[in-house]
Amino acid sequence: MSDSKAYAGAPPSAIEFHYDMPPEFFRLWLGETMTYTAARFDTNSDGCNPNDLDRAQKAKMRWHLEGSGLRRDGRYLDIGCGWGSLMKEAGESIGAVEVIGLTLSRKQYEYVQSMRLSNVTAYVESYEYYTPERKFDAISSVGAFEHFARPGISVEQKLLVYRNFFRCCHEWLRDGSQMTLQTITWGDISTRQVSHESVSEFFPNSSLPFIEDVIVSSKPWFELVAMENRCRDYELTCKTWLLNLRAHRNEGIRLVGAERQSFYERCMQGGALLFRRRNYNLCRFVFKRLPSRLLKNP
Ligand SMILES: C[S@@+](CC[C@H](N)C(=O)[O-])C[C@H]1O[C@@H](n2cnc3c(N)ncnc32)[C@H](O)[C@@H]1O
């Protein structure tokens, strides 16, 4: 896809660079849920193996569905829906009446369409250009926030981008509803000197927020009601993905070539280390929408 519009963060071409490999390739190592964000492990008993990963991905999805307050017959928006795992779960386990997902990856969109999930519709569209027909009862965004702002812009510009995201979500949600957000954030103080290249090499035109950026930019539209920071979740997820990539190396090379196979292996190896050192955090947030009448000069 050509980048015919202006994007505050990663444009479609940058998203395609990372995500538009054949879905069969991602299935080799992401596992049956086809979920490409940190799982939620039981850190006392889970280890790096495909079964624990699948269970932990389902636990992560449950966390978001519960946190978002989605009910049977509710309308749900997944901003950055990937290959549709959370949307599928929202329909099947909660009974959502309508689920809409946004992605900038055409291959992900085609994959979601090919599942023919009832009540689920995906669009290749950035949240920046999306206009819903009706209000939603719940919103989640899992692992897309990292793509919303480009590197190299000022802190003020970055906060404006994030504020616009929260403003949109506020506008699209009905009164009294909730949203969940999952994102990688910069970790300990030494990270502030870490070059943005550690992100850009694998995810062009993308950049991480600090935890406080997320919280500050959610004001005045949302109240933070819960938050967790679980680096270990992403360390274990990256390690399991890496083990899976290595276990299926020949098939991976056949599907995407040796250079690309090595690209994803390096990405997961680096990721596991950065989370282990706490240079990166993995944060999950639950936000409650504040009533419009309480907003003063947003
Ligand atoms: C790491 S994947 C996460 C996918 C999925 N949420 C999951 O947990 O597997 C990031 C997703 O964010 C989407 N994305 C990135 N920027 C976006 C934007 N501006 N608007 C909508 N989706 C976006 C990508 O297309 C991709 O689907």
Side-chain angles (χ1 to χ4, degrees):
M1 183 193 266
S2 65
D3 301 332
S4 51
K5 298 174 182 164
Y7 296 88
S13 59
I15 294 295
E16 285 166 6
F17 168 78
H18 191 100
Y19 299 100
D20 276 22
M21 298 294 122
E24 311 85 76
F25 169 69
F26 284 103
R27 183 174 288 285
L28 289 177
W29 50 284
L30 295 185
E32 68 167 40
T33 64
M34 284 289 271
T35 306
Y36 198 15
T37 43
R40 196 163 186 277
F41 286 91
D42 179 339
T43 41
N44 293 321
S45 57
D46 283 345
C48 296
N49 65 68
N51 287 343
D52 288 353
L53 177 67
D54 287 342
R55 192 173 47 241
Q57 288 294 15
K58 287 186 182 141
K60 180 265 300 287
M61 290 191 253
R62 267 199 310 281
W63 191 93
H64 283 283
L65 291 169
E66 281 172 24
S68 75
L70 181 67
R71 299 263 160 78
R72 189 173 180 78
D73 296 334
R75 297 187 76 238
Y76 188 46
L77 174 65
D78 182 359
I79 302 176
C81 63
W83 292 274
S85 51
L86 186 58
M87 298 199 289
K88 185 166 182 274
E89 200 62 23
E92 288 176 358
S93 69
I94 307 281
V97 71
E98 187 177 10
V99 184
I100 289 182
L102 305 180
T103 174
L104 287 181
S105 157
R106 181 149 283 277
K107 279 227 168 7
Q108 290 181 336
Y109 161 80
E110 286 165 2
Y111 182 85
V112 174
Q113 294 297 96
S114 74
M115 285 195 286
R116 299 185 182 283
L117 301 169
S118 54
N119 305 346
V120 170
T121 314
Y123 295 102
V124 185
E125 189 64 284
S126 171
Y127 72 90
E128 298 156 274
Y129 291 101
Y130 176 63
T131 312
E133 284 169 12
R134 282 184 293 140
K135 299 254 184 208
F136 289 99
D137 299 298
I139 294 180
S140 292
S141 184
V142 185
F145 202 84
E146 298 90 327
H147 295 300
F148 290 171
R150 288 172 187 239
I153 58 174
S154 68
V155 176
E156 291 73 26
Q157 285 172 313
K158 208 166 172 178
L159 289 180
L160 276 178
V161 172
Y162 297 152
R163 283 168 60 83
N164 182 49
F165 167 73
F166 281 108
R167 188 190 56 73
C168 290
C169 293
H170 184 270
E171 193 179 313
W172 300 339
L173 279 169
R174 69 162 171 76
D175 256 357
S177 53
Q178 302 206 151
M179 69 176 279
T180 66
L181 179 73
Q182 173 167 328
T183 182
I184 303 170
T185 61
W186 291 113
D188 67 41
I189 192 78
S190 64
T191 312
R192 291 167 201 233
Q193 280 94 48
V194 169
S195 136
H196 288 279
E197 284 160 25
S198 66
V199 179
S200 296
E201 180 186 356
F202 299 106
F203 300 96
N205 294 86
S206 301
S207 68
L208 302 183
F210 288 102
I211 295 178
E212 54 269 31
D213 296 342
V214 179
I215 297 169
V216 165
S217 56
S218 71
K219 301 290 172 201
W221 296 284
F222 289 91
E223 178 192 2
L224 177 64
V225 291
M227 190 211 141
E228 59 179 30
N229 181 357
R230 291 171 49 120
C231 310
R232 179 92 176 124
D233 274 349
Y234 229 146
E235 184 191 343
L236 281 178
T237 305
C238 287
K239 280 183 173 164
T240 313
W241 286 340
L242 181 59
L243 288 174
N244 288 346
L245 273 160
R246 287 178 176 154
H248 298 286
R249 191 177 272 156
N250 288 342
E251 276 168 280
I253 292 175
R254 185 178 59 75
L255 287 166
V256 299
E259 203 177 303
R260 268 280 145 167
Q261 171 74 22
S262 140
F263 170 92
Y264 292 99
E265 287 189 23
R266 283 187 288 112
C267 180
M268 297 318 146
Q269 194 160 24
L273 189 65
L274 286 158
F275 285 105
R276 185 160 64 74
R277 290 188 189 145
R278 304 187 74 92
N279 292 137
Y280 288 179
N281 288 314
L282 184 273
C283 296
R284 299 189 181 98
F285 304 86
V286 179
F287 290 104
K288 184 172 167 51
R289 182 191 190 277
L290 288 171
S292 304
R293 66 185 155 73
L294 294 184
L295 304 185
K296 287 188 209 124
N297 305 320

